[in-house]
Amino acid sequence: MIQAVVKLSRSAISLSRASPVGHISRISSQPLKFIHDGINGPSANPVAVQMINYALSYARSQKSDGSYAQGMLILEQCLSTQSSETEGQFAQNSIGTVLLAMSTLLYERGSFGEAIEKLHRVQDSRQSSLGVRVAATEALVGLYLQLGQDDTSSVIADKCLELLDKDDSKRNGGSKASVVARAKAVKGLVELVSGNLESAESFFKGLQDNEDLNGSVALSYGEFLHATQNFSLAKELYQRIVEGVPKNEDFGDINALAVGNMASDEISLAATFALGQLESHMGNFGAAEEILTKALTKTEEYFGSNHPKVGVILTCIALMFRNKARREHSSSLLLQEGLYRRAIEFLKAPPLESKDAETKPEKRDISALARGGYAEVLCVQQNRKTEGEKMKTWAEAAWGNRRMSLADALDITEPPSKVPVIDARIGRVL
């Protein structure tokens, strides 16, 4: 491994001093890939891209502390070679892409603070291409939403829109429609999390006519349609992502670069999960169970069997069985209880004796939903009603969604007045 890194490192130093012109072919199937942008020469140093993909592949090969540490060492070596040449857009794009890759590995290991620091460095780089800075800003918004820092995410989303206004079209080749859509969609997601559906609609308006939607844009727009009960169009968007589209999307295009919880693997998983929820809300419980099971398997494979995101999926599966039992006038209490208990364990929800302030914001929505559902299971059992009431009190105190109450989220009527949509990227109830 070391010999390969040294060889790539030397090539990167040599190429970074050469004229930044030429074609860059696809390197691998990882989210970070780059091609010639057709205007200003290569988007980033092609050997740096090779090192990035090698580092990501190696880190994820074992998903261990050791493999991730080695992956970060490769990226640090790559960054040091790029930092020797810091002038111009080509050099700054190369540095920025390495920092984006580093932020992704840090995010995957749960080091959110360090990941955010790398992303801010990219966001603040004025010489980088607009696509690179929008990717950093989009990932920052995603992380802050996951951490429950909604006000900060809103400020950063506004900054993303400001980038479009300040963009030097001559230097950047113009603001591509895909980049503009991403900037608007990430602000729409912030508004959706905040429960401001009318405001969210203003940012998603017109996207139905855009054939150049990337995965994160299509997913956020689909979730908006889902929340506003435009089920048919939401289903179409979810299916496009799951089937490997959206149309015309090219992750090799620097304007479609995505990292952190907005990376392509996360988008694919979240779209599968959202589609399963949609089928459940439409009463198609057989399809919902099949799709949610696929989402669970993908989540366990990608993140590990004990990851909090597994708890998110299990919570939704339990709710699906709850709604199925109610509509079919059947019972699945034992099944629901087992799913809720596992979900709460993986979410690492605090003890019932803890105060609301002790609940970590990034897990509060789902933990409250899981415990709220579990409380219902307990309350119908006379000998466990006291325990259920205690759990219900905790869940109601922890619930922080602004669009609907916990009772609304749990009690989906037929036809539904409101439907909760769980975004697997950020672990929030929309």
Side-chain angles (χ1 to χ4, degrees):
M1 180 188 78
I2 299 300
Q3 291 180 339
V5 173
V6 171
K7 184 176 180 180
L8 287 171
S9 177
R10 288 172 179 168
S11 299
I13 294 172
S14 175
L15 189 56
S16 68
R17 292 171 179 170
S19 175
V21 179
H23 176 77
I24 303 175
S25 62
R26 289 188 172 188
I27 303 299
S28 76
S29 61
Q30 296 293 337
L32 290 168
K33 299 179 297 182
F34 309 86
I35 59 173
H36 193 292
D37 66 9
I39 299 172
N40 295 314
S43 300
N45 187 322
V47 181
V49 175
Q50 286 184 311
M51 293 181 72
I52 287 170
N53 286 306
Y54 181 70
L56 292 175
S57 178
Y58 187 87
R60 293 163 176 165
S61 63
Q62 301 176 33
K63 293 188 180 295
S64 65
D65 290 341
S67 66
Y68 272 92
Q70 289 295 322
M72 284 298 295
L73 283 175
I74 296 169
L75 292 176
E76 287 168 2
Q77 176 66 31
C78 183
L79 184 62
S80 69
T81 64
Q82 303 308 307
S83 297
S84 62
E85 299 286 341
T86 59
E87 294 299 322
Q89 189 177 81
F90 175 73
Q92 286 301 311
N93 281 350
S94 299
I95 293 171
T97 54
V98 178
L99 290 170
L100 289 173
M102 295 175 79
S103 74
T104 294
L105 289 189
L106 290 166
Y107 156 74
E108 290 180 7
R109 300 310 290 168
S111 300
F112 286 10
E114 293 179 77
I116 286 171
E117 184 272 328
K118 305 296 184 191
L119 292 170
H120 275 297
R121 285 178 62 183
V122 180
Q123 184 194 44
D124 294 337
S125 175
R126 295 183 179 181
Q127 289 187 307
S128 294
S129 295
L130 183 64
V132 175
R133 287 178 288 156
V134 167
T137 306
E138 180 184 61
L140 277 170
V141 171
L143 284 177
Y144 278 122
L145 287 175
Q146 186 170 343
L147 291 169
Q149 299 182 30
D150 297 354
D151 290 342
T152 302
S153 68
S154 182
V155 171
I156 292 175
D158 288 337
K159 189 172 183 179
C160 192
L161 293 173
E162 290 173 6
L163 283 177
L164 300 178
D165 295 333
K166 297 179 180 179
D167 178 37
D168 184 336
S169 296
K170 183 177 181 180
R171 176 169 63 85
N172 286 291
S175 298
K176 290 194 66 173
S178 60
V179 179
V180 174
R182 289 174 71 183
K184 290 183 177 180
V186 78
K187 178 61 176 178
L189 178 60
V190 171
E191 295 300 317
L192 192 55
V193 170
S194 299
N196 302 322
L197 294 184
E198 290 186 7
S199 179
E201 183 177 17
S202 68
F203 293 103
F204 290 121
K205 188 176 182 180
L207 290 182
Q208 68 271 18
D209 301 320
N210 191 334
E211 290 294 326
D212 195 26
L213 299 182
N214 86 330
S216 63
V217 176
L219 179 57
S220 296
Y221 181 37
E223 289 173 333
F224 166 75
L225 294 168
H226 189 168
T228 54
Q229 300 184 47
N230 188 337
F231 291 161
S232 59
L233 188 51
K235 184 174 182 177
E236 179 184 333
L237 286 171
Y238 292 155
Q239 288 177 327
R240 283 171 58 185
I241 303 169
V242 172
E243 292 167 4
V245 227
K247 296 177 181 178
N248 301 326
E249 183 176 49
D250 183 356
F251 283 108
D253 186 348
I254 201 168
N255 290 303
L257 179 62
V259 297
N261 59 15
M262 298 291 175
S264 60
D265 285 335
E266 293 252 359
I267 296 297
S268 176
L269 190 158
T272 303
F273 181 51
L275 181 59
Q277 294 177 76
L278 180 62
E279 293 289 5
S280 178
H281 294 153
M282 295 172 67
N284 303 325
F285 298 112
E289 182 176 354
E290 180 182 351
I291 295 169
L292 290 173
T293 300
K294 288 180 181 178
L296 177 63
T297 300
K298 290 173 67 174
T299 303
E300 290 176 331
E301 290 174 351
Y302 191 78
F303 292 101
S305 58
N306 298 321
H307 195 276
K309 283 185 183 284
V310 174
V312 174
I313 309 296
L314 290 173
T315 298
C316 191
I317 293 176
L319 291 172
M320 183 273 294
F321 279 113
R322 172 193 181 279
N323 294 332
K324 178 183 179 182
R326 288 205 167 191
R327 291 198 190 184
E328 296 178 353
H329 304 289
S330 59
S331 177
S332 59
L333 292 180
L334 289 177
L335 178 57
Q336 290 180 55
E337 178 172 359
L339 290 167
Y340 284 133
R341 290 182 67 172
R342 287 179 60 203
I344 292 167
E345 176 187 350
F346 295 150
L347 289 167
K348 298 179 174 61
L352 292 177
E353 294 74 20
S354 64
K355 297 180 180 179
D356 178 51
E358 297 176 34
T359 309
K360 291 185 177 180
E362 69 269 24
K363 301 173 184 175
R364 187 172 63 188
D365 277 5
I366 313 301
S367 294
L369 196 57
R371 277 193 165 149
Y374 191 9
E376 286 191 344
V377 171
L378 296 176
C379 285
V380 298
Q381 304 174 56
Q382 192 62 37
N383 62 332
R384 306 177 73 184
K385 188 172 182 179
T386 301
E387 181 186 358
E389 292 292 346
K390 185 176 182 181
M391 192 171 290
K392 179 181 178 181
T393 299
W394 185 97
E396 290 176 342
W399 182 254
N401 188 279
R402 303 173 190 176
R403 187 169 73 90
M404 64 180 71
S405 67
L406 179 59
D408 289 334
L410 290 170
D411 189 19
I412 300 177
T413 59
E414 177 61 36
S417 57
K418 294 180 180 179
V419 292
V421 182
I422 301 175
D423 187 314
R425 294 172 294 180
I426 59 177
R428 301 289 295 274
V429 180
L430 308 179

